[in-house]
Amino acid sequence: MCKLLSDWSPSEATINLIKLNGINEEQIAKTLDYLKNETGLSNIDDVENYDNWNSFFIIFCIKANKNKMN
């Protein structure tokens, strides 16, 4: 399991689940870029209630794109 955000990339299953929520590849890429470069997060151990980046990214991506889908 990858603990450092800089070493992590979303799994295919994670991407597919996000797409099922109506988020396209461009939105996913922009959200991933924002997560890695603008949030200041670096280690999953510092994110309360999450133990892996994939599960965190699913929720992060859906919430970040919620307003764009409405």
Side-chain angles (χ1 to χ4, degrees):
M1 175 173 31
C2 187
K3 292 203 175 247
L4 296 178
L5 180 57
S6 60
D7 296 337
W8 169 83
S9 60
S11 68
E12 184 177 340
T14 297
I15 298 296
N16 289 338
L17 185 58
I18 293 169
K19 286 180 181 178
L20 286 174
N21 284 276
I23 300 169
N24 65 40
E25 289 186 28
E26 181 182 355
Q27 292 168 308
I28 294 169
K30 286 180 180 179
T31 306
L32 180 60
D33 181 62
Y34 181 84
L35 175 64
K36 286 192 166 198
N37 297 304
E38 303 295 329
T39 62
L41 297 172
S42 63
N43 189 312
I44 194 63
D45 290 339
D46 298 331
V47 182
E48 191 172 325
N49 298 320
Y50 289 94
D51 63 356
N52 69 74
W53 287 113
N54 283 314
S55 60
F56 176 78
F57 186 62
I58 291 167
I59 300 303
F60 184 84
C61 194
I62 291 169
K63 286 185 176 185
N65 290 282
K66 183 177 181 182
N67 290 336
K68 295 176 185 176
M69 293 186 293
N70 293 334

